[in-house]
Amino acid sequence: METMSPLMLGFLGSLAAGAMTAVGAVPVLFGRTPSRATRDLSLGFAAGVMLAASFFSLIIPALDAAGLRYDSEATPAAIVCVAILLGMGAVALMNELLPHEHFKTGREGPAAASLRRVWLFIIAITIHNFPEGLAVGVGFGADGLSGGMPLALGIGLQNAPEGLAVAVALLGEDYSKGRAWGIAALTGMVEPIGGLLGAGIIALSEPLLPWGLAFAAGAMLFVISHEIIPETHRSGHQNKATLGLAIGLVLMLFLDVWLG
């Protein structure tokens, strides 16, 4: 794998991470649906993994990369802060402009009466998953295997409970087991597109490295705050969700130091 281009590494890494949504949704095929408390614990774990990845695999490397290019201590911090806000703003804009539907809070974005409900679900998860693939691609584009592997592994780990949550929610909307699993698996396949884009941008222009890393971090932070954490607190299982977040955060921190 060390001989592969950053572009190919970014694509394959984000593809593997995205495929974990299908793995996580497998229990619905056998009728073994975990309790809501267990699902909230798992989603809390996913939030912890993404939170740690945002800082230790993206924001800190972005500060380091910007620090190599500028003598001023304030300039790298300013670049990373602006890029984080741009990443959060980009996903927020997608959230406003694309019609989609959340499992609990209902429809958001423009009116889309002509779209079938299943496609509204798919668009919502696409908005959620694209920044994750982008982050993996940026990681591989920035520093090859050592930069992308912790991110791909961490995001793959957090995609499993997300895939299960999507499939279970679709079962609640009277979809068959096979269809619920298939849609959950499909939602992860947007991540290789984000991976290619992230790796390609960084490979083409090294000065964009700190911007790309921090932008991807900002996009992920928006997803954590706007989607995952509120979802885990809706049913009164916030203590379990917080425990899951703590476990995910320290596990991702350990993996990043060990593999990076």
Side-chain angles (χ1 to χ4, degrees):
M1 291 183 67
E2 294 181 357
T3 60
M4 291 184 182
S5 68
L7 200 65
M8 182 58 67
L9 285 172
F11 174 75
L12 293 177
S14 54
L15 177 64
M20 286 299 293
T21 57
V23 175
V26 164
V28 302
L29 295 174
F30 303 99
R32 298 176 181 175
T33 304
S35 67
R36 177 70 205 208
T38 301
R39 299 201 303 273
D40 285 342
L41 174 70
S42 299
L43 283 175
F45 172 85
V49 168
M50 290 179 69
L51 192 60
S54 296
F55 281 90
F56 299 113
S57 297
L58 294 171
I59 292 176
I60 292 176
L63 288 168
D64 292 340
L68 294 175
R69 301 186 62 85
Y70 302 96
D71 294 331
S72 168
E73 293 182 359
T75 302
I79 287 173
V80 170
C81 288
V82 170
I84 288 172
L85 293 176
L86 287 174
M88 298 183 77
V91 182
L93 187 63
M94 290 171 62
N95 218 45
E96 290 295 322
L97 296 181
L98 294 177
H100 60 285
E101 182 164 353
H102 299 286
F103 296 123
K104 293 292 182 184
T105 57
R107 297 192 178 196
E108 292 183 3
S114 62
L115 285 176
R116 294 179 61 189
R117 197 172 191 200
V118 63
W119 290 108
L120 292 174
F121 281 134
I122 289 174
I123 292 171
I125 303 304
T126 298
I127 295 172
H128 182 133
N129 282 346
F130 183 81
E132 298 173 4
L134 181 71
V136 174
V138 167
F140 278 110
D143 203 18
L145 276 175
S146 62
M149 187 62 74
L151 274 168
L153 183 57
I155 289 176
L157 284 173
Q158 65 89 31
N159 273 343
E162 285 182 9
L164 179 61
V166 172
V168 169
L170 289 171
L171 284 179
E173 297 295 327
D174 297 325
Y175 290 99
S176 68
K177 294 178 181 178
R179 195 175 181 202
W181 178 86
I183 293 172
L186 184 62
T187 60
M189 292 302 100
V190 69
E191 294 198 11
I193 300 173
L196 274 174
L197 179 63
I201 290 172
I202 299 305
L204 286 174
S205 179
E206 187 178 344
L208 289 177
L209 176 57
W211 291 91
L213 288 167
F215 182 95
M220 287 176 61
L221 289 171
F222 181 90
V223 169
I224 295 167
S225 176
H226 188 74
E227 301 284 349
I228 301 181
I229 291 178
E231 180 67 23
T232 64
H233 286 218
R234 290 192 199 283
S235 302
H237 304 301
Q238 54 268 23
N239 289 339
K240 288 184 172 62
T242 302
L243 173 63
L245 185 146
I247 295 171
L249 191 149
V250 297
L251 177 61
M252 184 61 197
L253 170 59
F254 175 80
L255 291 174
D256 189 78
V257 174
W258 179 37
L259 299 176

